[in-house]
Protein backbone atom coordinates (compact mmCIF):
# COMPACT_ATOMS: atom_id res chain seq x y z
CA UNK A 1 0.00 0.00 0.00
CA UNK A 2 1.31 3.46 -0.95
CA UNK A 3 1.76 5.93 1.92
CA UNK A 4 -0.01 5.78 5.31
CA UNK A 5 3.26 4.88 7.07
CA UNK A 6 2.58 6.82 10.26
CA UNK A 7 -0.96 5.52 10.59
CA UNK A 8 0.17 1.99 9.82
CA UNK A 9 2.86 2.15 12.50
CA UNK A 10 0.36 3.47 15.03
CA UNK A 11 -2.16 0.72 14.29
CA UNK A 12 0.44 -2.04 14.39
CA UNK A 13 1.57 -0.90 17.86
CA UNK A 14 -2.02 -0.93 19.11
CA UNK A 15 -2.60 -4.43 17.74
CA UNK A 16 0.68 -5.80 19.08
CA UNK A 17 -0.03 -4.36 22.54
CA UNK A 18 -3.57 -5.72 22.56
CA UNK A 19 -5.07 -2.23 22.84
CA UNK A 20 -6.69 -1.84 19.42
CA UNK A 21 -10.08 -0.21 20.12
CA UNK A 22 -13.29 -2.20 20.05
CA UNK A 23 -14.94 0.51 17.95
CA UNK A 24 -12.90 2.59 15.53
CA UNK A 25 -13.64 5.06 12.75
CA UNK A 26 -11.34 5.68 9.78
CA UNK A 27 -11.85 9.06 8.14
CA UNK A 28 -10.46 10.25 4.83
CA UNK A 29 -11.50 11.62 1.44
CA UNK A 30 -12.86 9.42 -1.29
CA UNK A 31 -10.12 7.32 -2.81
CA UNK A 32 -7.74 7.70 0.13
CA UNK A 33 -7.57 3.94 0.65
CA UNK A 34 -9.72 3.52 3.76
CA UNK A 35 -11.22 0.22 2.68
CA UNK A 36 -7.84 -1.17 1.62
CA UNK A 37 -6.28 -0.06 4.89
CA UNK A 38 -9.01 -1.66 7.01
CA UNK A 39 -8.66 -4.92 5.09
CA UNK A 40 -4.94 -4.84 5.83
CA UNK A 41 -5.75 -4.45 9.52
CA UNK A 42 -7.99 -7.51 9.34
CA UNK A 43 -5.25 -9.51 7.64
CA UNK A 44 -2.72 -8.35 10.20
CA UNK A 45 -4.96 -9.28 13.12
CA UNK A 46 -6.30 -12.55 11.80
CA UNK A 47 -3.81 -13.61 9.09
CA UNK A 48 -6.28 -14.52 6.39
CA UNK A 49 -7.53 -13.20 3.07
CA UNK A 50 -10.66 -11.09 3.53
CA UNK A 51 -13.40 -11.76 1.00
CA UNK A 52 -16.08 -9.12 0.70
CA UNK A 53 -19.56 -10.57 0.99
CA UNK A 54 -18.24 -13.93 2.26
CA UNK A 55 -20.43 -16.02 4.51
CA UNK A 56 -20.27 -14.98 8.15
CA UNK A 57 -19.42 -18.49 9.33
CA UNK A 58 -16.52 -18.85 6.88
CA UNK A 59 -14.36 -15.90 7.82
CA UNK A 60 -13.10 -14.05 10.85
CA UNK A 61 -13.47 -10.50 9.56
CA UNK A 62 -16.96 -9.61 8.41
CA UNK A 63 -17.86 -7.09 5.72
CA UNK A 64 -21.62 -6.47 5.62
CA UNK A 65 -22.91 -6.33 2.05
CA UNK A 66 -24.95 -3.20 2.85
CA UNK A 67 -25.52 -0.70 5.63
CA UNK A 68 -29.28 -0.86 6.02
CA UNK A 69 -30.71 -0.80 9.52
CA UNK A 70 -31.75 -4.47 9.32
CA UNK A 71 -28.18 -5.46 8.41
CA UNK A 72 -26.74 -3.42 11.27
CA UNK A 73 -29.18 -4.95 13.75
CA UNK A 74 -28.41 -8.45 12.48
CA UNK A 75 -24.65 -8.18 12.83
CA UNK A 76 -24.98 -6.51 16.22
CA UNK A 77 -27.13 -9.35 17.51
CA UNK A 78 -24.63 -11.84 16.11
CA UNK A 79 -21.66 -10.00 17.62
CA UNK A 80 -22.89 -10.70 21.13
CA UNK A 81 -23.17 -14.43 20.42
CA UNK A 82 -19.86 -15.24 18.70
CA UNK A 83 -17.22 -17.14 20.63
CA UNK A 84 -14.27 -16.52 18.30
CA UNK A 85 -12.84 -13.00 17.77
CA UNK A 86 -14.25 -11.21 14.73
CA UNK A 87 -14.08 -7.80 13.10
CA UNK A 88 -17.17 -6.21 11.59
CA UNK A 89 -16.27 -3.69 8.86
CA UNK A 90 -18.86 -1.11 7.84
CA UNK A 91 -17.61 0.67 4.75
CA UNK A 92 -18.87 4.00 3.31
CA UNK A 93 -20.89 4.72 6.44
CA UNK A 94 -21.55 8.34 5.40
CA UNK A 95 -24.77 7.13 3.80
CA UNK A 96 -26.13 5.24 6.79
CA UNK A 97 -29.69 6.13 7.76
CA UNK A 98 -30.35 7.67 11.16
CA UNK A 99 -32.05 4.43 12.18
CA UNK A 100 -28.92 2.45 11.32
CA UNK A 101 -26.70 4.94 13.18
CA UNK A 102 -28.89 4.72 16.27
CA UNK A 103 -28.83 0.93 16.11
CA UNK A 104 -25.03 1.05 16.02
CA UNK A 105 -24.97 3.01 19.29
CA UNK A 106 -25.59 -0.23 21.17
CA UNK A 107 -22.11 -1.59 20.47
CA UNK A 108 -20.49 1.70 21.40
CA UNK A 109 -22.26 1.64 24.75
CA UNK A 110 -21.76 -2.07 25.49
CA UNK A 111 -19.03 -3.53 23.24
CA UNK A 112 -19.30 -7.30 22.64
CA UNK A 113 -16.56 -9.37 24.27
CA UNK A 114 -15.21 -10.96 21.09
CA UNK A 115 -16.02 -8.40 18.40
CA UNK A 116 -14.37 -5.35 16.92
CA UNK A 117 -16.31 -2.81 14.88
CA UNK A 118 -14.68 -0.60 12.24
CA UNK A 119 -16.44 1.97 10.08
CA UNK A 120 -15.15 4.25 7.33
CA UNK A 121 -16.29 7.81 6.62
CA UNK A 122 -15.36 10.54 4.18
CA UNK A 123 -16.48 13.15 6.71
CA UNK A 124 -16.70 12.37 10.42
CA UNK A 125 -19.61 14.81 10.70
CA UNK A 126 -21.69 12.33 8.70
CA UNK A 127 -22.24 10.19 11.77
CA UNK A 128 -23.66 10.84 15.22
CA UNK A 129 -21.56 12.82 17.67
CA UNK A 130 -22.23 10.13 20.27
CA UNK A 131 -20.74 7.50 17.95
CA UNK A 132 -17.64 9.63 17.36
CA UNK A 133 -17.17 10.32 21.06
CA UNK A 134 -17.43 6.66 22.05
CA UNK A 135 -15.22 5.34 19.27
CA UNK A 136 -11.60 6.02 18.33
CA UNK A 137 -11.21 8.19 15.24
CA UNK A 138 -8.23 7.63 12.93
CA UNK A 139 -7.58 10.09 10.10
CA UNK A 140 -5.89 8.84 6.96
CA UNK A 141 -2.49 10.43 6.34
CA UNK A 142 -2.22 13.01 3.56
CA UNK A 143 -0.43 11.70 0.49
CA UNK A 144 2.68 13.52 -0.63
CA UNK A 145 3.23 14.40 -4.32
CA UNK A 146 5.99 11.76 -4.44
CA UNK A 147 3.60 9.09 -3.10
CA UNK A 148 1.00 10.12 -5.68
CA UNK A 149 3.66 9.87 -8.41
CA UNK A 150 4.74 6.48 -7.09
CA UNK A 151 1.18 5.17 -7.24
CA UNK A 152 0.73 6.56 -10.74
CA UNK A 153 3.99 5.04 -11.92
CA UNK A 154 3.30 1.64 -10.34
CA UNK A 155 -0.14 1.35 -11.89
CA UNK A 156 -0.08 3.32 -15.12
CA UNK A 157 3.49 3.69 -16.40
CA UNK A 158 3.89 3.05 -20.09
CA UNK A 159 7.46 3.23 -21.39
CA UNK A 160 6.16 4.09 -24.87
CA UNK A 161 4.22 7.12 -23.62
CA UNK A 162 6.06 10.17 -24.99
CA UNK A 163 3.93 12.48 -22.83
CA UNK A 164 4.59 10.63 -19.58
CA UNK A 165 6.38 13.53 -17.90
CA UNK A 166 3.55 15.97 -18.66
CA UNK A 167 0.93 13.53 -17.46
CA UNK A 168 2.81 12.82 -14.24
CA UNK A 169 3.27 16.54 -13.50
CA UNK A 170 -0.47 17.20 -13.76
CA UNK A 171 -1.30 14.10 -11.71
CA UNK A 172 1.05 15.24 -8.92
CA UNK A 173 -0.42 18.72 -8.95
CA UNK A 174 -4.12 17.82 -8.93
CA UNK A 175 -4.45 14.46 -7.20
CA UNK A 176 -4.70 14.15 -3.43
CA UNK A 177 -5.42 10.42 -3.24
CA UNK A 178 -4.82 7.23 -5.24
CA UNK A 179 -8.53 7.35 -6.10
CA UNK A 180 -8.00 10.72 -7.79
CA UNK A 181 -5.18 9.17 -9.82
CA UNK A 182 -7.48 6.37 -10.97
CA UNK A 183 -10.04 8.95 -12.14
CA UNK A 184 -7.58 11.07 -14.17
CA UNK A 185 -5.09 8.49 -15.35
CA UNK A 186 -6.60 7.63 -18.72
CA UNK A 187 -6.99 11.04 -20.35
CA UNK A 188 -5.36 13.57 -18.07
CA UNK A 189 -3.96 15.68 -20.94
CA UNK A 190 -7.35 15.87 -22.67
CA UNK A 191 -8.90 16.82 -19.33
CA UNK A 192 -6.37 19.59 -18.80
CA UNK A 193 -6.86 20.93 -22.32
CA UNK A 194 -10.60 20.99 -21.69
CA UNK A 195 -10.17 22.98 -18.47
CA UNK A 196 -7.91 25.46 -20.28
CA UNK A 197 -10.64 25.87 -22.92
CA UNK A 198 -13.20 26.64 -20.20
CA UNK A 199 -10.91 29.24 -18.61
CA UNK A 200 -10.35 30.94 -21.97
CA UNK A 201 -13.96 30.96 -23.12
CA UNK A 202 -16.39 31.01 -20.21
CA UNK A 203 -16.66 34.81 -20.30
CA UNK A 204 -16.47 35.09 -24.09
CA UNK A 205 -19.50 33.08 -25.17
CA UNK A 206 -23.20 33.79 -24.69
CA UNK A 207 -24.82 32.93 -21.37
CA UNK A 208 -26.68 30.01 -22.94
CA UNK A 209 -23.44 28.60 -24.31
CA UNK A 210 -21.64 29.29 -21.02
CA UNK A 211 -23.95 26.85 -19.30
CA UNK A 212 -22.97 24.27 -21.93
CA UNK A 213 -19.23 24.71 -21.42
CA UNK A 214 -19.03 22.36 -18.41
CA UNK A 215 -21.08 19.73 -20.27
CA UNK A 216 -18.28 17.19 -19.93
CA UNK A 217 -18.34 17.37 -16.12
CA UNK A 218 -20.27 14.66 -14.26
CA UNK A 219 -22.90 16.30 -12.05
CA UNK A 220 -24.53 13.04 -10.94
CA UNK A 221 -22.95 9.85 -9.67
CA UNK A 222 -24.46 8.02 -12.64
CA UNK A 223 -23.11 10.51 -15.21
CA UNK A 224 -20.13 9.92 -17.44
CA UNK A 225 -17.69 12.79 -17.43
CA UNK A 226 -14.94 14.52 -15.52
CA UNK A 227 -15.03 14.64 -11.74
CA UNK A 228 -16.42 18.01 -10.59
CA UNK A 229 -14.00 18.43 -7.70
CA UNK A 230 -10.98 17.74 -9.90
CA UNK A 231 -12.39 20.03 -12.60
CA UNK A 232 -12.56 22.94 -10.17
CA UNK A 233 -9.09 22.19 -8.81
CA UNK A 234 -7.71 22.21 -12.35
CA UNK A 235 -9.59 25.44 -13.12
CA UNK A 236 -7.89 27.09 -10.14
CA UNK A 237 -4.49 25.82 -11.25
CA UNK A 238 -4.93 27.13 -14.80
CA UNK A 239 -6.06 30.50 -13.46
CA UNK A 240 -2.99 30.75 -11.24
CA UNK A 241 -0.70 29.88 -14.12
CA UNK A 242 -2.11 32.83 -16.07
CA UNK A 243 -1.40 35.44 -13.41
CA UNK A 244 2.23 36.07 -14.39
CA UNK A 245 3.98 36.24 -17.78
CA UNK A 246 7.69 36.42 -18.47
CA UNK A 247 8.85 39.67 -20.04
CA UNK A 248 12.51 40.50 -20.58
CA UNK A 249 13.66 37.88 -18.06
CA UNK A 250 11.21 39.16 -15.46
CA UNK A 251 7.79 38.01 -14.42
CA UNK A 252 5.01 40.59 -14.54
CA UNK A 253 1.36 40.35 -13.64
CA UNK A 254 -1.05 40.03 -16.53
CA UNK A 255 -3.80 42.59 -17.08
CA UNK A 256 -6.43 40.22 -15.69
CA UNK A 257 -4.40 38.89 -12.76
CA UNK A 258 -6.77 40.36 -10.16
CA UNK A 259 -9.74 38.73 -11.87
CA UNK A 260 -7.97 35.38 -12.03
CA UNK A 261 -7.14 35.51 -8.32
CA UNK A 262 -10.78 36.36 -7.60
CA UNK A 263 -11.86 33.43 -9.79
CA UNK A 264 -9.64 31.13 -7.72
CA UNK A 265 -11.27 32.41 -4.52
CA UNK A 266 -14.76 31.91 -5.93
CA UNK A 267 -13.94 28.39 -7.07
CA UNK A 268 -12.40 27.55 -3.70
CA UNK A 269 -15.68 28.58 -2.08
CA UNK A 270 -17.61 26.21 -4.33
CA UNK A 271 -15.20 23.37 -3.58
CA UNK A 272 -16.09 23.77 0.09
CA UNK A 273 -19.79 23.74 -0.70
CA UNK A 274 -19.32 20.56 -2.70
CA UNK A 275 -18.48 18.74 0.56
CA UNK A 276 -22.03 19.18 1.84
CA UNK A 277 -23.80 15.83 1.74
CA UNK A 278 -26.63 15.66 -0.81
CA UNK A 279 -25.97 19.08 -2.33
CA UNK A 280 -27.43 19.73 -5.78
CA UNK A 281 -24.35 19.73 -8.00
CA UNK A 282 -26.22 20.99 -11.07
CA UNK A 283 -27.38 24.07 -9.18
CA UNK A 284 -23.91 24.48 -7.74
CA UNK A 285 -22.34 24.42 -11.20
CA UNK A 286 -24.89 26.86 -12.64
CA UNK A 287 -24.27 29.34 -9.83
CA UNK A 288 -20.52 28.98 -10.28
CA UNK A 289 -20.80 29.76 -14.00
CA UNK A 290 -22.81 32.90 -13.23
CA UNK A 291 -20.34 34.13 -10.62
CA UNK A 292 -17.31 33.56 -12.84
CA UNK A 293 -18.97 35.32 -15.78
CA UNK A 294 -20.02 38.26 -13.62
CA UNK A 295 -16.43 38.55 -12.46
CA UNK A 296 -14.80 38.44 -15.86
CA UNK A 297 -17.30 40.42 -17.95
Amino acid sequence: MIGQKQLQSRIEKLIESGTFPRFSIFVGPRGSGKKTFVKEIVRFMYSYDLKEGADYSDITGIVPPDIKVDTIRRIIDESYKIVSPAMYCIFDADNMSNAAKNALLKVTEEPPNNAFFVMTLEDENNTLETIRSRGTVFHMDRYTPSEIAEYYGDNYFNEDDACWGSREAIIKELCETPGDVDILSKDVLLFYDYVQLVVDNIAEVSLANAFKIPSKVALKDTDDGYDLRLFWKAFMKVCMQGIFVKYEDKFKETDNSIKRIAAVNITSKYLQRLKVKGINRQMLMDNWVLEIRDLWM
Side-chain angles (χ1 to χ4, degrees):
M1 182 175 184
I2 300 293
Q4 306 302 321
K5 302 304 182 185
Q6 292 183 349
L7 183 57
Q8 183 177 350
S9 176
R10 180 184 176 191
I11 295 299
E12 288 178 355
K13 289 178 181 178
L14 290 173
I15 294 174
E16 290 169 353
S17 64
T19 57
F20 186 78
R22 290 287 176 178
F23 189 92
S24 54
I25 304 169
F26 286 80
V27 180
R30 182 192 63 187
S32 59
K34 298 182 296 296
K35 183 180 292 187
T36 299
F37 193 83
V38 169
K39 288 183 177 182
E40 289 301 316
I41 292 174
V42 176
R43 291 189 180 98
F44 189 76
M45 291 183 72
Y46 302 117
S47 300
Y48 81 101
D49 288 330
L50 182 67
K51 297 180 180 178
E52 188 164 353
D55 186 82
Y56 291 169
S57 63
D58 291 340
I59 63 175
T60 305
I62 297 172
V63 183
D66 57 43
I67 50 177
K68 296 179 181 178
V69 62
D70 290 342
T71 301
I72 297 298
R73 288 171 177 164
R74 183 174 67 251
I75 64 174
I76 288 174
D77 289 342
E78 181 178 314
S79 71
Y80 287 97
K81 300 174 184 178
I82 59 174
V83 294
S84 299
M87 179 174 286
Y88 293 77
C89 306
I90 305 170
F91 296 134
D92 304 319
D94 299 79
N95 299 317
M96 289 178 68
S97 67
N98 285 332
K101 294 173 186 176
N102 285 315
L104 195 60
L105 278 175
K106 181 177 181 180
V107 296
T108 67
E109 295 169 347
E110 303 173 14
N113 292 330
N114 294 309
F116 294 86
F117 278 78
V118 175
M119 66 189 298
T120 67
L121 293 166
E122 288 187 21
D123 186 338
E124 60 188 289
N125 294 313
N126 287 337
T127 193
L128 301 177
E129 193 280 331
T130 46
I131 288 180
R132 298 198 307 271
S133 64
R134 292 170 183 167
T136 301
V137 179
F138 299 100
H139 290 90
M140 300 292 285
D141 297 335
R142 292 180 64 88
Y143 289 90
T144 66
S146 61
E147 288 170 344
I148 290 295
E150 180 183 356
Y151 179 81
Y152 183 51
D154 288 348
N155 291 275
Y156 298 102
F157 178 70
N158 180 354
E159 60 183 11
D160 296 326
D161 184 359
C163 298
W164 173 259
S166 299
R167 297 178 194 276
E168 183 184 49
I170 296 173
I171 289 287
K172 288 172 65 177
E173 184 72 25
L174 296 181
C175 296
E176 298 177 4
T177 69
D180 287 348
V181 176
D182 294 335
I183 291 172
L184 284 186
S185 59
K186 293 183 179 179
D187 53 2
V188 60
L189 294 182
L190 289 176
F191 166 73
Y192 206 68
D193 287 344
Y194 166 70
V195 176
Q196 180 70 66
L197 186 66
V198 172
V199 172
D200 292 341
N201 291 279
I202 193 168
E204 302 297 327
V205 298
S206 67
L207 180 60
N209 286 330
F211 285 122
K212 296 178 182 179
I213 285 179
S215 60
K216 294 185 179 180
V217 178
L219 298 177
K220 296 181 181 179
D221 292 337
T222 55
D223 288 349
D224 292 328
Y226 297 125
D227 180 85
L228 176 56
R229 180 177 57 85
L230 292 173
F231 166 75
W232 274 336
K233 284 190 64 178
F235 183 91
M236 293 166 64
K237 175 178 170 57
V238 172
C239 284
M240 292 301 294
Q241 287 178 331
I243 290 176
F244 296 99
V245 294
K246 195 171 185 180
Y247 179 74
E248 294 182 350
D249 296 326
K250 295 181 180 180
F251 284 95
K252 292 186 177 182
E253 290 188 359
T254 58
D255 293 338
N256 62 356
S257 60
I258 295 177
K259 289 184 178 181
R260 283 179 175 258
I261 292 172
V264 169
N265 291 333
I266 289 172
T267 307
S268 177
K269 176 183 66 177
Y270 277 89
L271 275 171
Q272 291 301 314
R273 292 178 181 176
L274 189 60
K275 295 180 180 180
V276 177
K277 182 181 177 183
I279 196 164
N280 186 320
R281 283 181 278 182
Q282 179 65 66
M283 182 175 66
L284 208 61
M285 173 62 85
D286 290 346
N287 289 338
W288 174 80
V289 168
L290 289 173
E291 279 205 54
I292 296 296
R293 280 178 58 83
D294 286 345
L295 170 69
W296 280 351
M297 292 186 69

